[in-house]
């Protein structure tokens, strides 16, 4: 979109110049200037590069990704996780790194053909990996998932997964399965995770969620029936919370937080928040 600092694109890696990020398993090489390094300088370092990808432009400058086999040490540098950048970093840099991480993870996991085991090749002029033996093509993977805020008047149904930061409650979420619509998935996941039936399922908006390659489709739904029964192993606790007595909530840039903030704003007649993307 116009006016944005980061714009993804397909760049020819045989061209010289530009800036580069080095990625390995959702971590980025970082020094006191940040995550962008002069590309030619970075390529002269002793790094275990698996592949290189032209990924777009930042402030108009070409940006490349070096996907590494392991997080190598480099003088004056450290490795920074993508989640940390989301929580503390610049929003445009997070968008750049979220894209880079998805391309890097895909390339790293598609070095060999899953059908015949041959080494895959990057396809020129296309974001694709191709098997020279059996012609299978693989494109960057996106996993559709849904996230839903269930409400009952002035109450929000929020839950805790054992993986969450201590004390934080959030909306319910889950991956879409083969054969179902996203709306089917919303009703199924709510039933499985908390044992509640819902209705009036409304699509709100979507957010790319690069952990590692989700596309989050956000919904609002109204409670219909049932008592809360947390799913063993998945849900540590789930409760109805009044809009005036909410627990610690998810990070401000997440769609989970947006769904909650949007409902609160509508309920209180305040200005609606904007979905971060
Ligand atoms: Zn093959």
């Amino acid at each position: 979109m116009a006016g944005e600092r980061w714009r993804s694109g397909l760049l020819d890696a045989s061209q010289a110049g530009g800036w580069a990020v080095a990625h390995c398993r959702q971590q980025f090489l970082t020094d006191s200037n940040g995550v962008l390094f002069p590309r030619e300088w970075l390529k002269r370092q002793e790094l275990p590069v698996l592949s290189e990808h032209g990924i777009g432009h930042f402030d108009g400058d070409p940006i490349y990704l070096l996907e590494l086999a392991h997080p190598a040490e480099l003088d004056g540098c450290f490795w920074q996780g993508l989640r940390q950048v989301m929580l503390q970093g610049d929003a445009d840099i997070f968008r750049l790194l979220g894209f880079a991480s998805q391309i890097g993870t895909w390339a790293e996991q598609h070095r060999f053909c899953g059908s015949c085991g041959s080494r895959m090749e990057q396809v020129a002029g296309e974001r694709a990996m191709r098997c020279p033996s059996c012609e299978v093509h693989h494109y960057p993977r996106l996993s559709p998932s849904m996230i839903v805020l269930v409400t009952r008047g002035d109450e929000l149904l929020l839950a805790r997964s054992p993986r969450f930061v201590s004390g934080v409650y959030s909306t319910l979420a889950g991956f879409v399965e083969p054969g179902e619509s996203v709306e089917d998935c919303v009703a199924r996941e709510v039933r499985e995770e908390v044992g509640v039936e819902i209705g009036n399922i409304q699509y709100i908006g979507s957010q790319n969620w690069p952990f590692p390659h989700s596309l989050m489709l956000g919904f609002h739904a109204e409670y219909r029936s049932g008592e809360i029964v947390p799913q063993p192993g998945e849900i540590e606790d789930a409760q109805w919370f009044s809009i005036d007595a909410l627990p610690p909530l998810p990070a401000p840039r997440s769609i989970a937080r947006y769904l909650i903030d949007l409902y609160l704003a509508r309920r209180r007649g305040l200005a609606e928040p904007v979905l971060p993307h």
Side-chain angles (χ1 to χ4, degrees):
M1 274 174 265
E4 292 184 341
R5 301 182 70 198
W6 160 247
R7 192 176 302 193
S8 67
L10 187 64
L11 277 51
D12 182 354
S14 67
Q15 301 287 312
W19 298 82
V21 296
H23 171 261
C24 184
R25 295 172 217 139
Q26 298 231 300
Q27 304 223 79
F28 287 89
L29 189 70
T30 309
D31 73 2
S32 55
N33 295 314
V35 293
L36 293 173
F37 294 84
R39 176 172 168 235
E40 301 308 325
W41 177 86
L42 193 62
K43 289 176 74 170
R44 285 196 301 272
Q45 310 307 308
E46 296 280 318
L47 294 172
V49 177
L50 291 174
S51 58
E52 184 175 19
H53 307 264
I55 56 172
H57 291 88
F58 192 82
D59 285 343
D61 291 330
I63 307 293
Y64 295 81
L65 157 70
L66 300 183
E67 177 65 17
L68 305 191
H70 55 86
E73 301 277 331
L74 206 56
D75 275 351
C77 296
F78 61 98
W79 287 83
Q80 183 179 203
L82 186 59
R83 277 186 189 273
Q84 190 185 337
V85 178
M86 178 185 73
L87 294 172
Q88 297 164 359
D90 175 280
D92 294 303
I93 289 286
F94 172 65
R95 293 177 59 234
L96 186 174
L97 297 185
F99 183 77
S101 175
Q102 289 176 90
I103 298 304
T105 300
W106 160 72
E108 192 268 332
Q109 294 177 352
H110 290 83
R111 286 175 295 152
F112 300 94
C113 175
S115 296
C116 74
S118 302
R119 185 172 285 280
M120 305 277 280
E121 301 171 338
Q122 288 188 44
V123 181
E126 209 181 339
R127 188 82 67 200
M129 299 285 280
R130 163 185 172 274
C131 173
S133 303
C134 71
E135 284 292 329
V136 160
H137 280 62
H138 283 290
Y139 301 90
R141 174 164 45 154
L142 274 180
S143 302
S145 25
M146 74 79 210
I147 182 158
V148 60
L149 174 64
V150 178
T151 62
R152 183 170 70 182
D154 275 345
E155 292 178 305
L156 282 62
L157 202 175
L158 301 175
R160 269 192 60 72
S161 150
R163 302 183 302 273
F164 286 3
V165 176
S166 174
V168 168
Y169 282 73
S170 186
T171 51
L172 301 171
F175 287 102
V176 181
E177 292 185 349
E180 66 182 3
S181 68
V182 190
E183 289 81 0
D184 291 341
C185 174
V186 173
R188 175 182 56 75
E189 286 282 354
V190 171
R191 193 178 299 125
E192 286 176 3
E193 294 192 342
V194 293
V196 159
E197 297 298 324
I198 54 173
N200 194 19
I201 298 172
Q202 299 283 336
Y203 175 69
I204 304 289
S206 68
Q207 187 183 51
N208 175 243
W209 191 247
F211 303 104
H213 39 65
S214 291
L215 174 63
M216 284 284 192
L217 303 158
F219 290 83
H220 173 253
E222 292 173 357
Y223 168 81
R224 284 288 183 264
S225 63
E227 293 295 320
I228 293 175
V229 181
Q231 183 180 18
E234 283 290 315
I235 303 295
E236 191 173 272
D237 185 38
Q239 298 179 33
W240 290 106
F241 291 94
S242 159
I243 62 170
D244 297 317
L246 293 171
L249 298 173
R253 281 183 199 167
S254 64
I255 189 169
R257 180 61 172 271
Y258 168 76
L259 294 173
I260 295 168
D261 287 347
L262 178 66
Y263 189 72
L264 297 181
R266 287 179 176 173
R267 215 58 205 174
R268 291 169 172 156
L270 301 174
E272 295 189 0
V274 176
L275 175 61
H277 59 94

